[in-house]
Amino acid sequence: VQLQASGGGLVQPGGSLRLSCVASGFTLEYYAIGWFRQAPGKEREGVAGITSGGRTSYADSVKGRFTISRDDSENTLYLQMNSLKPEDTAVYYCNADLTTARAMGERDYGRDFWGKGTQVTVSS
C-alpha cells in the first residue's frame, strides 16, 4: 500500500511541471486526495485537493496557476503547475483520505496515506 509521487525537477521561473501520484495496493476512488508541500525551514502547507466527487480547492498562492485532477481509472492524482515562481520551491507530497478530507470538510475513512515526496525547484 503506497503512493508514489513523481514529476518534480528544476525549472525556470515561468515554467511548468506536471506532478503525478500513483496509488498501489488500494484504490483512490473513494478518497479525497491532495497535494501538500514543504519548503526548507517552513511548515507543511496544503496546495490543492480534490474530493471523490470532483470538487477542487486551492491555496490562494497557487490559484489560477495550478490545476489538480484525478484519473480514478488509472488510480492517479495529478498537479499541473504553470507560471512557476521561486516561492513554489518545495518538496511536494501527495495525500489520500484523512488530512485532505479534513482540510476540505469532507468525510474521511480513518486512513491517511502519504507519498514520499518529489522535489520541485524553481530557479534561474
Side-chain angles (χ1 to χ4, degrees):
V1 175
Q2 67 174 353
L3 292 171
Q4 181 65 52
S6 63
L10 173 64
V11 63
Q12 292 186 343
S16 298
L17 284 173
R18 189 192 196 203
L19 304 184
S20 300
C21 177
V22 181
S24 58
F26 71 106
T27 179
L28 290 175
E29 183 179 1
Y30 303 108
Y31 297 119
I33 47 182
W35 291 96
F36 294 75
R37 67 186 181 187
Q38 188 166 20
K42 294 188 177 181
E43 293 187 355
R44 185 184 67 195
E45 63 174 352
V47 176
I50 184 167
T51 67
S52 58
R55 179 173 66 89
T56 59
S57 178
Y58 297 93
D60 288 343
S61 59
V62 306
K63 281 181 182 176
R65 300 188 298 121
F66 291 10
T67 302
I68 190 171
S69 61
R70 62 191 297 163
D71 185 339
D72 291 335
S73 68
E74 297 292 331
N75 225 20
T76 302
L77 171 69
Y78 299 101
L79 185 68
Q80 178 67 43
M81 305 187 295
N82 298 329
S83 302
L84 282 160
K85 304 175 180 180
E87 51 263 44
D88 295 317
T89 296
V91 178
Y92 284 70
Y93 300 90
C94 51
N95 171 264
D97 199 22
L98 192 145
T99 298
T100 300
R102 292 188 178 180
M104 296 186 71
E106 292 284 306
R107 67 163 292 183
D108 66 84
Y109 293 86
R111 313 290 296 275
D112 206 24
F113 303 103
W114 286 95
K116 286 188 177 181
T118 184
Q119 176 70 47
V120 172
T121 302
V122 184
S123 175
S124 56

